[in-house]
Structures are given as structure tokens and as C-alpha cells.
Amino acid sequence: MHRLVLRPSRALLIAAAAFSFAVPASAQPSRAAAQKAALERASQIKELDAFVAKGVKDWGIPGLSVSIVKNDSVIFARGYGVRTLAGAGAVDDQTLFGIMSTTKAFTAMAIAMLVDEHKLAWNDPITKWLPQLEFPDVLQSRELTVKDLLTHNTGLGGADLLWTRGDFSRDEILRRVRFLTPAYSMRNGFVYQNVMYGAAGEVVARASGMSWEDFIRTRIFQPLGMTRSYPTLGLMRAAHDANVSSPHFRIRDTVRVIDDEPADPIESAGAIWSTASDMAKWMRFLLDSGRVSGTRLVSERNFHELFKPQVVGPPNGFYPTSRIIKPHWETYGLGFFEEDFRGRFVAYHTGSLAGRTAIIGLMPDERVGVYVFGNIDHAEFRHALMYKAFDLFAGTNGQPARDWSAEFLALYGDAEKRAQTARAAQDALRVTGTHPSLALERYAGTYTHPAWGDLVLKMDNGALRMTLGTGADNTGLLEHWNYDTFRVSLGDGRGGSNALTFALDPAGNVASVMLDGSAQYVFTRR
């Protein structure tokens, strides 16, 4: 594969120089067409560059990098802003970012490769590879397959607390799945499931005989030449690379540098680190149906299996952007969301962890791909930039051009206003002048849940301190709210407050505590 980065100034120089040479009449039509194409591409690049620069400012993004592929060439690879607000260092196409949930496509690709080698099958029962993984319902345990691990429709509800606690090993996370509460009947819904992708990584390891990290590194990174990509945060840090971005979060109206949230406990769901330049190589591979330099790394049949619709999207769409894009259909494949955009098929996936965002978008029929990294929490300019790139390099298909950034800014601004109104309405329900039923020290103790583990409350200088796991973001001081309900802001407060409501037994002792009014988060006192 070759790499071509065309910048506006150079494109214009090339085009201008072409006019200064006399050419045979027979060559003039093709030369004129080439000159026109070069000028058009230079204009597109200039427009995109201005769009990104304005978007970074409008959305308050400290640093962003983007790469765009068209017809097996990298036509745009650039960085904007700074790696961190706490120091110097500009973002470029070699700056390391977490790719978060866009890791899932790598895991799905690994399984496709193993299916090619007859080391496993898409429809193998999960229990064949992970006999220790039991589900809440016996039917799930018996019927769910390897492919089901990749589709977010096993019937389980959200289970991220299993890994965000920070103190459960991978094996312990999977062991506790049996204690989760089913959210819907098997294969009859959609709830995003990082833990199941973590289980898929274990299947890769057992079927291949090597760790998931080694498989991704040797079977994907190395053949594609992704020399600045790492399977996990731990491995990235061990490389001591200086060109690394920092995550940022707006806390109490101030953008601050925060610590990275490690996804290594479920690495195959979201732990990879990479650069805009390396992700361009991944996109070229995907847009060439799983080939690199003419060599196929995955069969055509199993490559296309990754993009077959597996699950129909929810009625309101996967993302708020659906309200503006208005796709005719939305589905999930294996590691990719799917939709139609301006009459073309699009496969895409976002990545999000505290302080970071990413998105990959592919328009296979036009052989256009875009990858975006950002180093601030949930700046949805990533969606706008993806659609802008499609408009510029795949054409609007006869439809009018639109300012996606402005439209999405309004969309998410309205959503935030509605959220603030809802929070204010909830706060208005507080009954003032009440007191806890018991002295504070009588609420102290260890509360436990078979899936979520221990929630510990201890006295700390006259107040109750809650700890749920080992991370700094999992502890905070309780503030009395009303009656036997308290609120707690965990860590640096970036997530707002959580409610804890205590229940007493007939003897007047604390029996349990419920988080955020949810029956699935009731912890019983030991």
C-alpha cells in the first residue's frame, strides 16, 4: 500500500506548474482533467481544514486528529490543537489516543480470522470456549453463541460497573455475569455490552492459543504496518512515548486534565491505543475488503459477515444525531453500527471513555473512510466531521450541503438544556428540614451485591464516605438529602451526584442501600 497526503498549498503549486508546460494536443484533455481534479481536491482539503479548525474552537476541544482515506490513498492526516492543556505539545497525525470502543471491530475481525482457520465457528455455543461463563437464564447459557457476544442483544442489561470498579479481574468479571438481572428476552433487544466483548477476547485467546493482545499485535498490527499502535493502556505506557494526548473533562464549567480511565480489564472491548496515521492503515484494509498489498488476511465471506445487519436499531436510533440525519434504517453488525446516509451504506462506530472521544466511519461503495480522535469528553463534533468528510469526498448525491457542526451543536445544546431542566425538577422534589432516621455511624458498614460486589461506608471526620471499588473516581463523601436518602459526588465530581437510599428492617437497623433508585443496584448489609 502507498500513502499520499495532499495538502492544499502543494496541490495548488502542482496545478499551477502544470499550466506552464507545453504539451502535445493529444495529451491536453487528460492533462486538463488531472489539473481540474487536483484543483478540486485542493479546494476540498481547504474547506475541510477550515471546517475542522472552526469546529475545534466551537466545541471547545483541546486537541483533535483526523485521517481520511479515499481509493486506497490517505488524502488527509492532520492534528489540531494541543495534546494537553497542562503543557506544551501540538497534536499531529502521530499523536497517541485511545481508540476506545472502535477496538470492537478488531475483536470481531480476530474471530472472523479464526473462523477462516476452522479453529472456531460463529455458531459455537459460548460454553464450548468459556464453560465458566454462566448467564442469569439457563436458556441464555445453553443457546447463546460466539456471534452473540458481538451483537449487544444477549438479554443482559448494562454491566459496566463490573469493570469500572477497577478491582475485579477478567475472570471475576465473567464469573459475576450469572448474577446480573436480565433486561429483555434473549436476542430481542439491544443494550450496549462491553462485558460481552471482553468475553469475546477470551474466546480469541482460547481458540488461538495466544493472548488477545498478542493476536491483535501479530495478526493485524504487524501485517498492516501499524507500528505506533498498542493493544492496551498498560502496553502503551510501557513504551514511554512522549507524543501522547491527555484526556480532558469539563468540571464545574472548567476544562481540566484528568487521569485516563483504563479499559484493560475488558481490553477486547475498548483498550487499543493508536494514531490517526495508523488508523488510516486500518481503514484502507477494511475498504479493500480485508486485504493489504493484495494479500487477503480474512476470507471475503467472513469479511462480509462482519458488515451483515445482525440487530435492528431501537426506535429512536442509536444516537441523537439520528434525529437530524434521519436514516431509513439503522442496524448493528459485528463491531459496527450501520445506516444509510444520502443513499449510501455507512458503517461506523464511536469510542468514548472519560475525557476522550473517537469515531470511525466507512462508506465502502465510495471507498471513503474517516477516523477522528478528540481529547475531551463527548464532544460530538466527531459525528459532524464524519458526515462532512462523506459530503466532500463521496459527494452529496444531489442533496444540498449542510453545516453538520452547527446543526449538531444546536441538537446537543438543546439536549443539555433538557437535562438541566430534568435535574432541576428532581431537585425540587427534595423535602427540606428532614433528618436521617439514625445516627450517621449506624449507616456505616459493608453492603454487598452478588454481581456488583461490596459497597463500603465508613465514618470520615464526622461524615460518611462511600467506596465502591479501588479507583479514585469510586469514592466520595455523603451529603444528607432527605429522610434516609443521601447524595454523593464521586471522585472529582465529573459525573454529578448519585443517590443512596437506605432501608431499615423491622428492628430499626439498616438492612440495605439502593443506588439511584434502581432495583438492580440494591446492596444488602452484611
Side-chain angles (χ1 to χ4, degrees), residues 393-416:
F393 303 110
T396 60
N397 212 18
Q399 300 180 51
R402 295 169 65 171
D403 186 343
W404 301 114
S405 182
E407 292 190 50
F408 291 166
L409 265 173
L411 173 72
Y412 282 95
D414 289 344
E416 177 57 27

Side-chain angles (χ1 to χ4, degrees), residues 132-419:
Q132 81 279 25
L133 180 57
E134 296 181 21
F135 289 83
D137 186 278
V138 66
L139 185 64
Q140 292 172 301
S141 298
R142 188 182 70 211
E143 298 293 335
L144 287 172
T145 67
V146 168
K147 183 184 286 186
D148 288 321
L149 293 174
L150 309 175
T151 58
H152 307 292
N153 71 339
T154 60
L156 296 179
D160 284 344
L161 182 56
L162 288 173
W163 63 274
T164 57
R165 285 182 55 103
D167 57 350
F168 290 162
S169 68
R170 203 171 312 160
D171 287 344
E172 183 64 12
I173 290 171
L174 297 184
R175 187 190 72 80
R176 289 174 178 265
V177 165
R178 71 193 70 180
F179 301 117
L180 297 175
T181 302
Y184 54 93
S185 59
M186 182 178 67
R187 301 193 187 111
N188 195 34
F190 184 96
V191 174
Y192 197 79
Q193 255 298 334
N194 286 304
V195 170
M196 291 298 96
Y197 265 85
E202 283 297 294
V203 172
V204 170
R206 298 192 183 191
S208 68
M210 66 177 80
S211 67
W212 175 86
E213 301 99 310
D214 287 344
F215 190 98
I216 297 300
R217 188 164 40 197
T218 60
R219 298 291 301 276
I220 299 178
F221 289 172
Q222 290 179 6
L224 269 57
M226 297 175 68
T227 57
R228 284 181 50 71
S229 298
Y230 302 91
T232 65
L233 173 64
L235 290 170
M236 185 279 292
R237 284 177 170 168
H240 302 292
D241 196 307
N243 192 359
V244 181
S245 62
S246 296
H248 298 75
F249 208 107
R250 185 175 295 278
I251 304 171
R252 292 180 288 276
D253 296 325
T254 301
V255 175
R256 309 169 191 264
V257 177
I258 62 172
D259 291 332
D260 271 304
E261 180 181 14
D264 290 8
I266 50 163
E267 55 196 2
S268 46
I272 291 176
W273 282 70
S274 190
T275 68
S277 179
D278 266 12
M279 292 307 289
K281 298 171 184 176
W282 170 241
M283 290 191 294
R284 291 170 67 189
F285 168 69
L286 293 174
L287 291 170
D288 199 18
S289 71
R291 293 178 293 192
V292 56
S293 299
T295 299
R296 184 167 286 286
L297 301 188
V298 61
S299 70
E300 186 174 6
R301 177 181 179 180
N302 280 315
F303 175 83
H304 288 298
E305 189 69 30
L306 301 174
F307 295 93
K308 285 183 180 178
Q310 306 290 335
V311 182
V312 176
N316 295 327
F318 291 117
Y319 288 95
T321 51
S322 297
R323 301 171 199 165
I324 291 177
I325 299 299
K326 293 183 172 59
H328 295 89
W329 52 266
E330 291 181 272
T331 54
Y332 195 87
L334 302 178
F336 282 98
F337 296 97
E338 301 158 333
E339 67 180 17
D340 63 298
F341 173 70
R342 296 194 187 272
R344 282 93 150 202
F345 170 79
V346 168
Y348 73 99
H349 209 291
T350 57
S352 304
L353 281 173
R356 296 187 178 279
T357 57
I359 196 168
I360 183 173
L362 304 172
M363 191 177 280
D365 291 342
E366 303 290 341
R367 296 198 70 186
V368 173
V370 55
Y371 198 96
V372 182
F373 289 113
N375 63 353
I376 193 168
D377 200 76
H378 280 86
E380 300 307 336
F381 179 62
R382 55 183 170 178
H383 290 274
L385 181 46
M386 178 180 74
Y387 293 120
K388 178 66 173 179
F390 288 155
D391 277 350
L392 283 172
F393 303 110
T396 60
N397 212 18
Q399 300 180 51
R402 295 169 65 171
D403 186 343
W404 301 114
S405 182
E407 292 190 50
F408 291 166
L409 265 173
L411 173 72
Y412 282 95
D414 289 344
E416 177 57 27
K417 290 177 183 177
R418 289 194 298 272

Side-chain angles (χ1 to χ4, degrees), residues 80-127:
Y80 297 80
V82 295
R83 299 194 295 261
T84 175
L85 292 177
V91 172
D92 58 28
D93 66 338
Q94 297 296 325
T95 301
L96 285 161
F97 289 80
I99 81 167
M100 289 85 75
S101 283
T102 64
T103 296
K104 290 177 171 66
F106 286 83
T107 299
M109 180 63 70
I111 289 181
M113 291 175 169
L114 291 168
V115 173
D116 275 344
E117 297 166 10
H118 305 292
K119 292 185 177 178
L120 57 76
W122 292 114
N123 292 322
D124 277 349
I126 296 173
T127 52

Side-chain angles (χ1 to χ4, degrees), residues 439-448 453-460 463-468 478 500 502 510-513 523-526:
L440 287 184
E441 58 268 20
R442 293 187 61 184
Y443 295 90
T446 297
Y447 300 77
T448 191
D454 289 347
L455 183 158
V456 178
L457 292 171
K458 292 183 178 180
M459 294 300 297
D460 183 352
L464 283 166
R465 174 172 292 277
M466 167 186 157
T467 302
L468 184 60
L478 271 62
L500 290 87
F502 293 88
V510 181
S512 64
V513 61
F523 294 74
T524 302
R525 190 173 191 176
R526 283 185 182 174

Side-chain angles (χ1 to χ4, degrees), residues 56-84:
V56 167
K57 180 180 179 181
D58 290 347
W59 290 81
I61 304 171
L64 176 148
S65 66
V66 55
S67 57
I68 298 173
V69 171
K70 169 76 172 176
N71 292 334
D72 198 41
S73 294
V74 182
I75 61 173
F76 194 90
R78 199 168 298 180
Y80 297 80
V82 295
R83 299 194 295 261
T84 175

